[in-house]
Amino acid sequence: MEPVAEGSVTGGSVSEGSVTEDAVTEDAVTEGSVTEDVTALRRFNRYFTRRIGVLDDRYLGQDRPLGEARLLFEIAESGSGVSLRDLRVRLGLDAGYLSRMVKALEAQGMVRLGMHPDDSRLRTVEPTSAGRAEVAEQNRRADALVSGLLQGLAPDQRRRLTDAMATAQRLLRLAAVNVTPVDARTPDARACLDAYAADLDARFPEGFDPSDLVGPEEVSGDAGTFLVAYEEGRPVGCGALRRTAPGVGEIKHVWVHPGARRLGLARRLLDALEDEAVTRGLTVVRLDTHAALTEARSMYQASGYTEIPAYSDHVYAGHWFEKRLG
């Protein structure tokens, strides 16, 4: 039972920060040349960072650079306390650099350090009353800065800018997601499958039996593969491929976390599974989906899949699809 359009679930498989000026992967740059996309993004980054004051060591006129200001904001947004480990993962910071910034904020009286109540090995940080007041002032100044930037635009131009920024954020999030093969027995893989099964159980009129999930041995080694999508270190999606006959594979359990839907991640997982099938010498991939999931059929057809007669007696299948790989 396989992928569906993002924001929904299929029977057998799918439900569905900021960028620095030089955030460019080696794959994006060819020998001796830079793509137009890379040049355009870097040009925008240079312009935008200058306009919002990133280069100033007194961001928004307060007594700290942007890095410390952003860290203080994240700490305050976390409420009563957040672990340094969570902050490091969320912001993608080096442990030593994070520690130095936290100590600087502590010396300014903005935050206080402590121990995690359930794990003494984890250090936590929370805002002081002065820190909360500072973030409130920081937000006021940031609102004023943005209002000033938008003042020269007409209402329809503001809407266009807002839509463009939403699109840019969505695509940058998708670009930052890492899709990688994992052992299907790992906690991340099992957590994705458990969430997938819960989604199907809530969506299908007849419910969903978790025993229908593929076993780890079906998607390991020569038999197949299991992919997990990670966003900022957190598993936010999965998909499986298993070999069913010589040259033929079946895609299973494509799922995307609710918080990562509508990014295009289901399609990216589907593409990654197809690439894996080609690497394994498969020439055909198949999948099935529940009859109620009309959006799934649209996604498959848009991805080059053709509806075919039933190739299995899968209890949750109502439609079967096939795609021949180049």
Side-chain angles (χ1 to χ4, degrees), residues 192-223:
C192 287
L193 286 175
D194 288 345
Y196 163 79
D199 277 357
L200 296 187
D201 189 56
R203 184 78 185 269
F204 293 170
E206 69 275 35
F208 180 77
D209 184 352
S211 66
D212 186 68
L213 298 173
V214 295
E217 70 284 352
E218 298 179 77
V219 290
S220 300
D222 292 338

Side-chain angles (χ1 to χ4, degrees), residues 1-3 12-14 180-182 184 193 214-228 238-245 247-255 269-287 305 311 323 325:
M1 186 100 6
E2 293 329 312
S13 296
V14 178
T180 186
V182 303
L193 286 175
V214 295
E217 70 284 352
E218 298 179 77
V219 290
S220 300
D222 292 338
T225 190
F226 193 90
L227 304 182
V228 170
C238 69
L241 171 73
R242 65 180 179 182
R243 188 187 302 269
T244 57
V248 180
E250 184 179 34
I251 290 175
K252 302 287 292 180
H253 309 336
V254 178
W255 171 82
L269 282 163
L270 189 59
D271 290 345
L273 291 166
E274 291 174 9
D275 290 344
E276 184 67 28
V278 171
T279 299
R280 292 169 176 267
L282 304 179
T283 58
V284 175
V285 285
R286 294 171 176 165
L287 51 81
Y305 284 78
Y311 63 81
K323 182 176 183 178
L325 305 174

Side-chain angles (χ1 to χ4, degrees), residues 68-76 105 110-111 131 134-135:
E68 289 181 13
R70 175 61 187 275
L71 179 59
L72 180 58
F73 172 84
E74 293 290 340
I75 293 171
L105 290 174
M110 299 292 106
V111 301
E134 187 80 350
V135 170

Side-chain angles (χ1 to χ4, degrees), residues 22-29:
D22 284 315
V24 180
T25 65
E26 292 182 5
D27 289 342
V29 182

Side-chain angles (χ1 to χ4, degrees), residues 25 90 92 108 134 306:
T25 65
R90 184 191 311 169
Q108 297 165 25
E134 187 80 350
T306 300

